[in-house]
Structures are given as C-alpha cells and as structure tokens.
Amino acid sequence: MKFCSLYSGSSGNSLYVSAKDTAILVDAGLSGKQIERAMNAHQLKPEKLQGILVTHEHRDHIHGVGVLSRRYRLPIYANEDTWQAMENKLGKLKPELIRIIPESQPFPLGDLEVNSFSIQHDAANPVGFTLHDGKKNIAIATDTGWISEDVKTIMSKMDLVVLESNHDLAMLESGCYPYPLKQRIKSSIGHLSNVDAAEIACYLAHQGVAHIILAHLSAENNYPLLAYQTVATALEKKSVRPGKDLNLAVAKRSGPGTLTTL
Ligand SMILES: [Zn+2]
Ligand SMILES: [Zn+2]
C-alpha cells in the first residue's frame, strides 16, 4: 500500500493512496492542475486514478473534485448528506460518476476496502476513512474538533494514521482571528490542536501504530516544527522515540510529502 499527502492544510487538502492496481484520492481541495503537479512530482499518473473519496463539502476538500472527475472520468464517493451539500459546487457531473457511499459500512473500491466513520466538524455529515488492502490499514481523520473513543479504537488498529494537528492554542488565542472564528476552531466541531494531536499520538504509539502523519496545519496559527515538536516531546515523555519507535511526519501545506510504502 502506498500513501502520499499531496497537500494538507486549511488552504487545500488531497491525499493519495494506492494498493496493487488501485489508486485513489481522498479529497481534492485544490485546482486540478495543482493536484496533477503534486502527483507528477512522484511520477504518479492522474490517468490511473480510480476515484475520489470526499470527507466533507468544505472548499478546501472539494475545490478540484469536479474538474478532476470530468478530466479523468473519476467516480466521486461521498455519503448522501455530503452529496446534497456539495453537488451544486462541483459543476456538471456525469450521473454514473456519482457514488453514494454507505454509512459506517465497508465497501470495495478496486483492491481497497473502504470504510467511513463519523467525525465532529461543522459540515453536513463529515467523515474520516479507513482504507485496507488485505494486509495494511490506513486511517484519515482531519477536520475534527474531537476524537471519540470509538474513533480512537479504529485508529489504534492502523499501520498509518493521518491525524489533524491544526493549531497551537496560544497562537490561535493571541492571533488576529475574530473571536467567533477562534471559538469555532476551538470547539468540539472545529479542529484539533497540537496538544490534542499529541495526546492521541501517545495513545496510538502505545497501540503499535507505526506511522503518524500530522495534517491540516493552519497557516496562521501553527507551523510545522511547532506541531512536530509538541507531538514529539509528548511521545518522548512516554518513552516513545519518533524516528526509531515510529515514523512521525508533518504533511506539507504547499506540496507533496514523501511517498510512504507500507
Ligand atoms: Zn479542511
Ligand atoms: Zn472542514
């Protein structure tokens, strides 16, 4: 199984996952050209994609979905509520490329088994995904103000977890955002902070998760080294050595990260 974050952050998200002959995107929140450019950097071919999974209808997750679907005849997978909330933002779509996914029930997408789980965010019916190729497992959980025990349990069984580490609380509180926006981000339907991510990462590390990718960093209220150090310090306090006991990385806002093979 292969994983690569093409872009991750409040200005646009797209993740690449492949297994055997199947390659997909999870979200496509930038222009089609930007996503193609990021894929090309790793010699990944957009023509080989077989679908786009959509977590929720916010622009930073769907901006390029319609264009890519039209250009490469890609089916788009989302739950019913997300479809209702996003359909008029995607442009004209071929009806056969509209795929409504079941809630919390696994379904096949080529060589992958996909399952969705509910997350806490201010969108119609936002979800995270697990992806399974018969051997390895990946979970993706960003844009969530809170992680339930159920979701923690799901994530603990994974080989790789993409975990939101959106903001540093002190930067958010002292920053220039208007008060209501600060409250929204901090709320249980907003975004996870670096400290939240650190706590979850410690739990996942002890459950044997081998790769944790910190994702969806805010441009204004975080920076990669701060997110990394907050989580790494918490792990070290629990005697987990990032780089040795597990792979800890920060997904880049503006381009692709490493192509990880599981
Ligand atoms: Zn987002
Ligand atoms: Zn969102």
Side-chain angles (χ1 to χ4, degrees):
M1 217 170 171
K2 287 193 165 70
F3 168 84
C4 182
S5 166
L6 302 175
Y7 299 90
S8 182
S10 33
S11 13
N13 296 274
S14 190
L15 307 174
Y16 170 92
V17 178
S18 71
K20 294 174 211 148
D21 294 324
T22 303
I24 59 157
L25 296 179
V26 177
D27 293 329
L30 297 100
S31 72
K33 281 211 161 50
Q34 284 171 299
I35 290 171
E36 288 164 353
R37 199 180 309 139
M39 291 185 70
N40 287 336
H42 282 300
Q43 282 85 47
L44 304 169
K45 305 254 176 285
E47 311 82 58
K48 297 235 165 112
L49 288 170
Q50 276 144 55
I52 307 174
L53 296 173
V54 178
T55 58
H56 66 296
E57 72 276 13
H58 288 163
R59 183 184 157 87
D60 59 317
H61 297 260
I62 64 162
H63 181 51
V65 167
V67 170
L68 289 172
S69 173
R70 282 184 286 279
R71 195 169 293 161
Y72 300 106
R73 301 183 51 80
L74 292 178
I76 305 164
Y77 297 82
N79 63 42
E80 199 156 7
D81 300 324
T82 301
W83 267 115
Q84 275 183 17
M86 75 175 177
E87 199 164 358
N88 63 0
K89 300 174 188 164
L90 299 183
K92 196 161 169 45
L93 298 172
K94 288 214 159 52
E96 68 270 23
L97 299 179
I98 296 175
R99 306 283 166 89
I100 298 173
I101 64 172
E103 293 206 26
S104 308
Q105 250 182 58
F107 64 94
L109 203 173
D111 297 311
L112 286 165
E113 182 186 88
V114 181
N115 205 347
S116 65
F117 54 87
S118 281
I119 54 167
Q120 309 293 315
H121 192 52
D122 54 355
N125 187 2
V127 294
F129 288 108
T130 61
L131 304 156
H132 178 54
D133 74 343
K135 287 193 190 118
K136 299 286 183 180
N137 293 287
I138 293 176
I140 292 157
T142 67
D143 297 70
T144 183
W146 181 66
I147 295 272
S148 69
E149 287 303 313
D150 287 352
V151 173
K152 261 194 191 174
T153 306
I154 292 170
M155 293 197 299
S156 70
K157 295 172 184 149
M158 300 290 134
D159 300 285
L160 184 151
V161 172
V162 180
L163 178 63
E164 172 159 55
S165 194
N166 177 258
H167 57 276
D168 174 77
L169 205 50
M171 282 179 78
L172 175 68
E173 279 171 349
S174 62
C176 62
Y177 278 7
Y179 180 77
L181 182 55
K182 287 181 183 179
Q183 292 306 107
R184 185 223 143 207
I185 293 169
K186 284 198 283 184
S187 78
S188 64
I189 53 164
H191 293 279
L192 292 179
S193 71
N194 293 342
V195 170
D196 296 329
E199 192 191 317
I200 297 159
C202 288
Y203 172 77
L204 297 180
H206 280 284
Q207 299 295 316
V209 174
H211 302 266
I212 297 178
I213 317 284
L214 304 176
H216 209 290
L217 271 65
S218 159
E220 286 78 22
N221 303 312
N222 210 353
Y223 51 94
L225 192 59
L226 181 58
Y228 183 90
Q229 281 181 340
T230 305
V231 177
T233 305
L235 287 169
E236 280 156 7
K237 278 190 190 153
K238 303 273 184 190
S239 309
V240 178
R241 297 161 303 172
K244 291 203 170 95
D245 300 321
L246 61 64
N247 167 33
L248 177 67
V250 180
K252 288 200 260 178
R253 294 176 52 78
S254 57
T258 339
L259 182 64
T260 305
T261 303
L262 297 175

